[in-house]
Coordinates of all heavy atoms in Angstrom, one line a residue:
Chain B
K57 N 81.0 108.7 77.2 CA 81.3 107.4 77.7 C 80.9 107.4 79.2 O 81.3 108.3 79.9 CB 82.8 107.0 77.5 CG 83.2 105.7 78.0 CD 82.7 104.6 77.1 CE 83.3 104.5 75.7 NZ 84.6 103.9 75.7
S58 N 80.2 106.4 79.6 CA 79.8 106.3 81.0 C 80.4 105.1 81.8 O 80.7 104.1 81.2 CB 78.2 106.2 81.1 OG 77.6 107.4 80.7
N59 N 80.6 105.3 83.0 CA 81.1 104.3 83.9 C 80.4 104.5 85.3 O 80.8 105.3 86.1 CB 82.6 104.4 84.1 CG 83.2 103.4 85.0 OD1 82.4 102.5 85.6 ND2 84.5 103.4 85.2
G60 N 79.2 103.9 85.4 CA 78.4 104.0 86.6 C 78.0 105.5 86.8 O 77.3 106.0 85.9
R61 N 78.3 106.1 87.9 CA 77.9 107.5 88.1 C 78.8 108.5 87.4 O 78.6 109.7 87.5 CB 77.9 107.8 89.6 CG 76.8 107.0 90.3 CD 76.8 107.2 91.9 NE 78.1 106.9 92.5 CZ 79.1 107.7 92.8 NH1 78.9 109.0 92.6 NH2 80.2 107.3 93.3
Y62 N 79.8 108.1 86.7 CA 80.7 108.9 86.0 C 80.3 108.9 84.5 O 80.2 107.9 83.9 CB 82.1 108.5 86.1 CG 82.7 108.4 87.5 CD1 82.8 107.1 88.2 CD2 83.1 109.5 88.2 CE1 83.2 107.1 89.5 CE2 83.6 109.4 89.5 CZ 83.6 108.2 90.1 OH 84.1 108.1 91.4
T63 N 80.2 110.1 83.9 CA 79.9 110.3 82.5 C 80.9 111.3 81.9 O 81.0 112.4 82.4 CB 78.5 110.7 82.2 OG1 77.6 109.8 82.7 CG2 78.3 110.9 80.7
A64 N 81.7 110.9 80.9 CA 82.6 111.7 80.3 C 82.1 112.1 78.9 O 81.5 111.3 78.2 CB 84.0 111.1 80.1
T65 N 82.3 113.4 78.5 CA 82.0 113.8 77.2 C 83.2 114.4 76.5 O 84.2 114.8 77.1 CB 80.9 114.9 77.2 OG1 81.5 116.1 77.9 CG2 79.7 114.5 78.0
L66 N 83.2 114.4 75.2 CA 84.3 114.8 74.4 C 83.8 115.6 73.2 O 82.9 115.1 72.4 CB 85.2 113.7 73.9 CG 86.3 113.9 73.0 CD1 87.3 114.9 73.6 CD2 87.0 112.7 72.5
D67 N 84.3 116.8 73.0 CA 84.1 117.6 71.8 C 85.4 117.8 71.1 O 86.2 118.7 71.5 CB 83.4 118.9 72.1 CG 83.0 119.7 70.9 OD1 83.6 119.5 69.8 OD2 82.1 120.5 71.0
A68 N 85.7 117.0 70.1 CA 87.0 117.0 69.4 C 87.2 118.3 68.6 O 88.3 118.7 68.3 CB 87.2 115.8 68.6
D69 N 86.1 118.9 68.2 CA 86.2 120.2 67.5 C 86.7 121.3 68.3 O 87.5 122.1 67.9 CB 84.8 120.6 66.9 CG 84.4 119.6 65.8 OD1 85.3 119.0 65.1 OD2 83.2 119.4 65.6
T70 N 86.1 121.4 69.5 CA 86.6 122.5 70.4 C 87.7 122.1 71.4 O 88.2 122.8 72.2 CB 85.4 123.0 71.3 OG1 84.9 121.9 72.1 CG2 84.3 123.5 70.4
K71 N 88.1 120.8 71.3 CA 89.1 120.2 72.1 C 88.8 120.4 73.6 O 89.6 120.9 74.4 CB 90.5 120.8 71.8 CG 91.0 120.5 70.4 CD 92.4 121.0 70.2 CE 93.0 120.5 68.9 NZ 92.2 120.9 67.7
Q72 N 87.6 120.0 73.9 CA 87.1 120.0 75.3 C 86.5 118.7 75.8 O 85.9 118.0 75.0 CB 86.1 121.1 75.5 CG 86.6 122.5 75.3 CD 85.5 123.6 75.4 OE1 84.4 123.4 75.1 NE2 85.9 124.7 76.0
S73 N 86.7 118.4 77.0 CA 86.1 117.2 77.6 C 85.6 117.6 79.0 O 86.1 118.5 79.6 CB 87.1 116.1 77.7 OG 86.5 114.9 78.3
S74 N 84.6 116.9 79.4 CA 84.1 117.1 80.8 C 83.8 115.7 81.4 O 83.6 114.7 80.8 CB 82.8 117.9 80.8 OG 81.8 117.2 80.1
L75 N 83.9 115.7 82.8 CA 83.6 114.5 83.6 C 82.4 114.9 84.5 O 82.6 115.8 85.3 CB 84.8 114.0 84.3 CG 84.5 112.8 85.2 CD1 84.2 111.6 84.3 CD2 85.6 112.5 86.2
H76 N 81.3 114.3 84.4 CA 80.1 114.6 85.2 C 80.0 113.5 86.2 O 80.0 112.3 85.8 CB 78.9 114.7 84.3 CG 77.7 115.2 85.1 ND1 77.5 116.5 85.5 CD2 76.6 114.5 85.5 CE1 76.4 116.6 86.2 NE2 75.8 115.4 86.2
I77 N 79.9 113.9 87.5 CA 79.7 112.9 88.6 C 78.3 113.1 89.1 O 77.9 114.2 89.5 CB 80.7 113.1 89.7 CG1 82.1 113.0 89.1 CG2 80.5 112.0 90.8 CD1 83.3 113.2 90.1
T78 N 77.5 112.1 89.1 CA 76.1 112.2 89.6 C 76.0 111.6 91.0 O 76.6 110.6 91.3 CB 75.2 111.3 88.6 OG1 75.4 111.8 87.3 CG2 73.8 111.4 89.0
A79 N 75.1 112.2 91.8 CA 74.8 111.8 93.1 C 76.1 111.4 93.9 O 76.3 110.3 94.3 CB 73.9 110.6 93.0
S80 N 76.9 112.4 94.1 CA 78.3 112.2 94.7 C 78.2 111.5 96.0 O 77.3 111.6 96.8 CB 79.0 113.5 94.8 OG 78.3 114.4 95.7
Q81 N 79.3 110.7 96.2 CA 79.4 110.0 97.5 C 80.8 110.4 98.1 O 81.6 110.9 97.5 CB 79.5 108.5 97.2 CG 78.2 107.9 96.5 CD 78.3 106.5 96.2 OE1 79.3 105.8 96.4 NE2 77.2 105.9 95.7
L82 N 80.9 110.1 99.4 CA 82.1 110.5 100.1 C 83.3 109.9 99.5 O 84.4 110.5 99.5 CB 82.0 110.1 101.6 CG 80.9 110.8 102.4 CD1 80.9 110.3 103.9 CD2 81.0 112.3 102.4
S83 N 83.2 108.7 99.0 CA 84.3 108.0 98.4 C 84.7 108.6 97.0 O 85.7 108.2 96.5 CB 83.9 106.5 98.2 OG 82.8 106.4 97.3
D84 N 84.0 109.6 96.5 CA 84.4 110.2 95.3 C 85.4 111.3 95.6 O 86.0 111.8 94.6 CB 83.2 110.9 94.7 CG 82.1 110.0 94.1 OD1 82.5 108.8 93.8 OD2 80.9 110.3 94.0
S85 N 85.7 111.6 96.8 CA 86.8 112.5 97.2 C 88.1 112.0 96.7 O 88.6 110.9 97.1 CB 86.8 112.8 98.7 OG 85.6 113.4 99.2
A86 N 88.7 112.7 95.8 CA 89.9 112.3 95.1 C 90.4 113.4 94.1 O 89.7 114.4 94.0 CB 89.7 111.0 94.3
S87 N 91.5 113.1 93.5 CA 91.9 114.0 92.3 C 91.4 113.3 91.0 O 91.6 112.1 90.9 CB 93.4 114.2 92.3 OG 93.8 115.1 93.3
Y88 N 90.9 114.1 90.1 CA 90.5 113.6 88.8 C 91.3 114.2 87.7 O 91.5 115.4 87.6 CB 89.0 113.9 88.6 CG 88.1 113.1 89.6 CD1 87.9 113.6 90.8 CD2 87.6 111.9 89.2 CE1 87.1 112.9 91.8 CE2 86.8 111.2 90.1 CZ 86.6 111.7 91.4 OH 85.8 110.9 92.3
I89 N 91.9 113.3 87.0 CA 93.0 113.7 86.1 C 92.5 113.4 84.6 O 92.1 112.3 84.3 CB 94.3 113.0 86.3 CG1 94.7 113.1 87.8 CG2 95.4 113.5 85.4 CD1 95.9 112.3 88.2
C90 N 92.7 114.4 83.8 CA 92.4 114.3 82.3 C 93.7 113.9 81.7 O 94.7 114.6 81.9 CB 91.8 115.6 81.8 SG 91.5 115.6 80.1
V91 N 93.7 113.0 80.8 CA 94.9 112.5 80.2 C 94.7 112.3 78.7 O 93.7 111.7 78.3 CB 95.3 111.1 80.8 CG1 96.7 110.7 80.2 CG2 95.4 111.2 82.3
V92 N 95.6 112.8 77.9 CA 95.4 112.7 76.4 C 96.6 111.9 75.9 O 97.7 112.1 76.2 CB 95.4 114.1 75.7 CG1 95.3 113.9 74.2 CG2 94.2 114.9 76.3
S93 N 96.3 111.0 75.0 CA 97.3 110.1 74.3 C 97.5 110.6 72.9 O 96.5 110.6 72.1 CB 96.8 108.7 74.3 OG 97.7 107.9 73.5

Side-chain angles (χ1 to χ4, degrees):
Chain B
K57 184 70 70 80
S58 290
N59 177 1
R61 295 179 296 102
Y62 301 102
T63 299
T65 64
L66 173 63
D67 185 334
D69 291 331
T70 61
K71 295 187 171 57
Q72 295 180 324
S73 177
S74 66
L75 180 70
H76 186 74
I77 304 175
T78 304
S80 60
Q81 301 177 357
L82 298 179
S83 59
D84 292 332
S85 296
S87 285
Y88 291 85
I89 306 172
C90 177
V91 185
V92 179
S93 172

